[in-house]
Amino acid sequence: MRNPIIVALDLPTAEAAFALAERVAPAVGAFKIGKELFTAAGPDIVRRVRATGAAVFLDLKFHDIPNTVAKAVAVATRLDVQMLTVHASGGSAMLRAAEQAAQKTAAELGRPAPLVLGVTVLTSSDADTLRETGVTAGVTEQVERLARLAVAAGVRGLVCSPLEIGLLRGCLPRAVQLVTPGIRTGTEPADDQRRTLSPRAALAAGADWLVIGRPIYAAPDPRAAAEGILASLG
Ligand code: C5P
């Protein structure tokens, strides 16, 4: 079985992120580089983390006109990331442009295309947040609508909360990859995560990849924490 653990490198500097990546790389499948670290450290941190041999998930949640998103996805593909995110609310033309840019650029390079992941409704949003932006649907309805839109546009994966895995597995083709944050083992604080599942339960519910931040990087021994989570997957 491939290692489904993606460690979120939610650290403010390249030095801190790279030190963690080097330490835990043998025990995990990929690293997630998000807006904070990328804004601080730029594409160089992507290259350095890739050099550990681990896959990279570039979580910049692109949302712009299709041409701009396509160009950003092409650059990320040339950087050799294995996963990246776009907002599904950008609409089908933007989603298609992102997927096509990933496929075309990867084909030119003779590499597999990175997995373009659609982000539906952020877990920080509720029905009021949707309403104030003109969306009258409830959160669940909007998650399902955006997930279907993304998949119909050719996107091969989605980011979803643990509590959305069942909903999405029930309405999407099984080949769609689900990437799930909000993972807690039960031995550490939930922090600001309100809806969590254990790593094993999230996989059993149908997740393909687990995004795990603080339970690994804030542990006294991050490598041991990652190895413990991997062992718990059975
Ligand atoms: O530290 P923790 O395990 O909570 O980190 C989870 C990671 O997943 C963070 O990078 C966070 O931004 C991200 N994430 C999340 N919930 C979402 C989407 C992304 O926690 N709905």
Side-chain angles (χ1 to χ4, degrees):
M1 181 187 105
R2 60 156 177 70
N3 187 325
I5 301 173
I6 303 175
V7 177
L9 293 176
D10 293 335
L11 297 164
T13 66
E15 288 65 37
F18 188 65
L20 176 75
E22 267 197 310
R23 229 165 128 195
V24 306
V28 307
F31 291 101
K32 183 168 88 71
I33 294 175
K35 288 191 170 98
E36 181 188 16
L37 181 59
F38 191 80
T39 303
D44 193 47
I45 189 63
V46 176
R47 295 186 194 100
R48 288 176 71 191
V49 172
R50 273 297 284 143
T52 67
V56 169
F57 169 9
L58 187 64
D59 185 19
L60 298 181
K61 297 187 180 69
F62 297 136
H63 185 168
D64 211 313
I65 60 171
N67 184 53
T68 299
V69 169
K71 287 187 191 171
V73 169
V75 174
T77 305
R78 277 184 221 112
L79 254 183
D80 197 20
V81 307
Q82 282 63 50
M83 297 180 178
L84 61 93
T85 41
V86 296
H87 271 288
S89 53
S92 55
M94 191 205 83
L95 292 161
R96 256 195 316 276
E99 180 63 30
Q100 284 170 3
Q103 299 284 354
K104 179 167 173 280
T105 310
E108 285 163 8
L109 295 166
R111 289 191 203 135
L115 186 61
V116 175
L117 298 165
V119 173
T120 60
V121 178
L122 295 173
T123 47
S124 52
S125 297
D126 59 16
D128 291 335
T129 321
L130 293 179
R131 202 171 314 113
E132 72 186 4
T133 60
V135 177
T136 52
V139 171
T140 304
E141 188 185 344
Q142 186 68 356
V143 166
E144 184 174 338
R145 176 189 312 212
L146 291 175
R148 288 179 185 275
L149 182 76
V151 171
V155 165
R156 291 160 295 137
L158 294 161
V159 179
C160 70
S161 90
L163 296 195
E164 292 161 359
I165 299 170
L167 167 78
L168 297 180
R169 278 285 164 246
C171 70
L172 299 174
R174 183 59 187 86
V176 174
Q177 300 276 296
L178 296 183
V179 179
T180 306
I183 302 298
R184 289 297 179 271
T185 65
T187 60
E188 74 289 269
D191 304 304
D192 50 358
Q193 298 284 11
R194 269 177 272 160
R195 295 173 293 165
T196 66
L197 278 186
S198 74
R200 198 186 167 103
L203 292 183
D208 298 289
W209 299 91
L210 310 172
V211 175
I212 306 178
R214 287 160 288 187
I216 292 178
Y217 73 71
D221 182 342
R223 171 79 173 263
E227 284 169 349
I229 291 170
L230 190 58
S232 77
L233 301 178

